[in-house]
Amino acid sequence: MARMDAHRFDDLFAEFGPIRLGRFFGGEGIWSSDVMIGMIFDDVIYFKTSEETRKGFLAEKCKPFSFVKHKSGETVITTWFALPDRLYDDTD
């Protein structure tokens, strides 16, 4: 099970104000007030993208979140993209 310690992201999400984590399909959802702003699976942060915002993630060579459907074995690639690695240490 994922680690439910929201404080490990205090610096990263300081501009959103306090965040909280909640269980989310075997991972964690990241919530700011009543809005889910991201999710965490295997200690990787993902954000939902639109056609426009996805361009920035692709330019950074970020990977989309994907999963395998248990019944069919089909791999599903989502529009949730990983936070660029460089931003974990660069909170500005």
Side-chain angles (χ1 to χ4, degrees):
M1 180 60 191
R3 301 179 340 198
M4 299 294 279
D5 176 15
H7 297 293
R8 72 188 196 266
F9 300 117
D10 282 350
D11 289 343
L12 192 59
F13 291 106
E15 118 177 32
F16 292 99
I19 63 164
R20 65 183 168 79
L21 303 180
R23 292 181 183 185
F24 184 71
F25 296 107
E28 299 167 282
I30 304 170
W31 296 83
S32 176
S33 297
D34 292 333
V35 178
M36 186 173 167
I37 61 171
M39 65 180 186
I40 306 161
F41 282 86
D42 297 322
D43 280 332
V44 176
I45 298 171
Y46 295 90
F47 291 104
K48 179 73 171 167
T49 63
S50 66
E51 192 171 320
E52 185 62 30
T53 60
R54 194 170 309 122
K55 294 173 186 175
F57 287 89
L58 292 170
E60 293 269 356
K61 299 188 181 354
C62 298
K63 302 285 187 205
F65 179 77
S66 63
F67 62 94
V68 177
K69 289 185 178 181
H70 292 291
K71 291 184 180 181
S72 67
E74 173 189 1
T75 298
V76 176
I77 299 172
T78 72
T79 57
W80 291 78
F81 274 74
L83 180 71
D85 287 339
R86 67 178 179 79
L87 296 181
Y88 283 93
D89 295 323
D90 181 7
T91 58
D92 291 332

